[in-house]
Amino acid sequence: MAEPLELLDLDRDALGELIESLGQPSFRARQVWRQIYQRGNVDPLEMTDLPAALREQLSEMTTPSREPLEVQTSSDGSTSKALLPLADGELIETVLIRSRPRDTVCLSSQAGCAMGCVFCATGLQGLRRQLTAGEILRQGVLARQWARDEGRELTHVVFMGMGEPLANYSNVSEAISRLTDPDGFGLSPRRITVSTVGIPQNIRRLASDHPTVNLAVSLHAPDQKLRRELVPVPGASVDDIVSAVREHNRQTGGRVTFEYVLLNGVNDSRAHARRLAERIRGIRAHVNLIPLNPSPGVVGSRPSRRATLGFQKALQERGVPATVRVEQGSDIAAACGQLRGDRVRGNA
Ligand code: SAH
Ligand code: SF4
């Protein structure tokens, strides 16, 4: 018998071929596509605009989509985190952040992560594997259904969950294409943000493949020596990352976000802020400061409110727009850097 198919792992052409191989007219493929990406029906038996025989055929050929093992919601109700099992038993996490009129899903792009940032719970695990485009999209489809069930509308997608999206470029790029397909998920690319630790060649690819998708680059340090302490896996230098971002600016005309996790006594002084402002001078950018979210086993502590605001002010005085990220979901370990993909509860 043929291996069961994951419907979400098929791109449009592959789905078209499958439908054709079943002797069906091509418009049926479009119907299935819309059922999945617009209506959120991942179970063929529920695709009621298809003939019953086709529904059954598809259902027999495909693996049923897995439901979350667990959903936790923060005490203020703003953030929910789902633990999703994958076909091979890997676990990933997806976060829904409600802040009307902007409801955002935070997608995972890998199980684990190879970069090993010292302050990040995902980085502790190392890379377990890449997610397929279907596994990435499943999270978006699920989050949108969640929002709809609550009478809300999912408006934004951020690749800020587990993993480094630009180290899984082709699957992330395919997922973006389907998220922005007017016949598919139908989201504007301007409402999608890819957050990367900084992989220059793939920042360039993103600029040409998806020029209006927002780019966020996690810099964390104004110079190489300090960055290496925080992002230990040998990769691009601060210089190379900053020049890829300059090119992205030129090519897309957009504004980039630099993310900067503030660690008490490590990278949070006014002198660091001054050096950062010099380093990124001339780039159309905005700096998003993220006071460290603590997590078991990770390095570093959160800076004082005073240090955080001082850092922000030092950037602003040099003409660099800077904001401090509002933390949501830390009581369920759903905030930035707290996703581990297991059932160990961070703070419970
Ligand atoms: N791998 C990508 C995207 C996932 S991480 C990246 O690194 O950009 C999303 C954001 O959370 C990044 O800016 C990352 O630096 C930040 N982050 C990681 N651990 C954190 C922690 N413990 N506290 C606050 N932010 C953290
Ligand atoms: Fe990976 Fe991003 Fe975590 Fe670094 S911060 S370990 S790149 S997920």
Side-chain angles (χ1 to χ4, degrees), residues 113 115-117 119-120 122-123 161-164 197:
C113 181
M115 306 307 303
C117 301
F119 46 79
C120 172
T122 308
M162 296 167 67
E164 168 46 45
V197 73

Side-chain angles (χ1 to χ4, degrees), residues 119-120 159-161 163-165 195-197 218 220 259 261 290-293 336-337:
F119 46 79
C120 172
F159 283 85
M160 293 188 186
E164 168 46 45
S195 171
T196 176
V197 73
S218 298
H220 312 315
E259 292 162 290
V261 174
I290 319 174
L292 179 94
N293 293 312
C336 290

